Amino acid sequence: MTSARIQKARGIWGKTLVFRDADSTDAGFILSLRSDPVKSKHLSKIPGDLNAQLEWLSRYSVSDSEAYFVIENHLGVPLGTVRIYDARGDSFCWGSWILVKQAPTSAAIESALMVYRYALEFLNFGSAHFQVHQENERVWRFHERFGAERISADEVQYEYKMSNAAIKTSLERYRRFLPNGIACVFR
């Protein structure tokens, strides 16, 4: 079996969504999401200027330790972002998950399923780990319904793990949101 490692994809296609590898042309959109006081309330803070975002995207473009995607609909309209990073053996972390207010209600479930399918089927990961701010109740409840197990907490956030069995159970349980799986094209 090939060992798990993070790899950037040029594009990943689901039922109604597309993940497109982020690049410098996305700096303004990403900055608008990351500087929105409601959307970014529970994310790590970033410098609020376009040049800093462009510099980050430039460093990202040559990095092999993460994959950062702009989430779009099939017409190419940007709906959000998601990132896969922090590989630890067969476990990956995901976050920087933001969706615009106008995103379809199914976008959260479909994008989560796409992350898990991509990580398991294309990158050979077996499990996931991630953190969610305690105040972000809507998101941690989403993850818990998805099968994530809370393993620890500090004053600010909960730490979660998602086992291979839990991921596969969720992929099957919510299959109607991604009935044909995903297609993927690498760089």
Side-chain angles (χ1 to χ4, degrees), residues 14-162:
K15 180 180 176 184
T16 67
L17 300 177
V18 175
F19 289 1
R20 181 182 48 75
D21 192 33
D23 63 35
S24 62
T25 64
D26 300 306
F29 174 69
I30 293 167
L31 184 61
S32 72
L33 289 175
R34 296 297 304 248
S35 58
D36 179 294
V38 174
K39 292 288 179 187
S40 67
K41 181 178 179 181
H42 303 292
L43 298 177
S44 55
K45 301 301 176 210
I46 63 163
D49 72 80
L50 189 59
N51 285 333
Q53 188 65 58
L54 284 165
E55 288 173 16
W56 188 92
L57 285 163
S58 178
R59 288 189 306 275
Y60 163 74
S61 72
V62 296
S63 166
D64 64 356
S65 63
E66 62 187 318
Y68 190 46
F69 299 106
V70 172
I71 303 168
E72 299 177 333
N73 66 19
H74 283 240
L75 298 174
V77 176
L79 300 174
T81 61
V82 69
R83 184 168 66 112
I84 298 172
Y85 60 103
D86 191 28
R88 298 181 196 165
D90 82 334
S91 182
F92 71 96
C93 185
W94 67 289
S96 303
W97 187 33
I98 312 171
L99 293 168
V100 297
K101 187 177 182 179
Q102 301 80 11
T105 56
S106 61
I109 292 175
E110 184 175 346
S111 61
L113 293 168
M114 289 173 70
V115 165
Y116 287 124
R117 281 210 177 267
Y118 179 61
L120 268 64
E121 297 172 9
F122 289 89
L123 304 182
N124 296 311
F125 284 99
S127 61
H129 60 277
F130 49 89
Q131 303 79 36
V132 179
H133 278 251
Q134 290 181 16
E135 293 177 358
N136 201 352
E137 184 175 350
R138 198 175 101 223
V139 170
W140 61 255
R141 286 192 184 280
F142 174 91
H143 286 299
E144 289 179 5
R145 280 191 308 274
F146 232 69
E149 177 187 353
R150 188 183 303 171
I151 57 172
S152 68
D154 62 22
E155 315 75 48
V156 178
Q157 58 190 9
Y158 296 129
E159 176 85 19
Y160 286 94
K161 72 176 183 177
M162 187 88 164

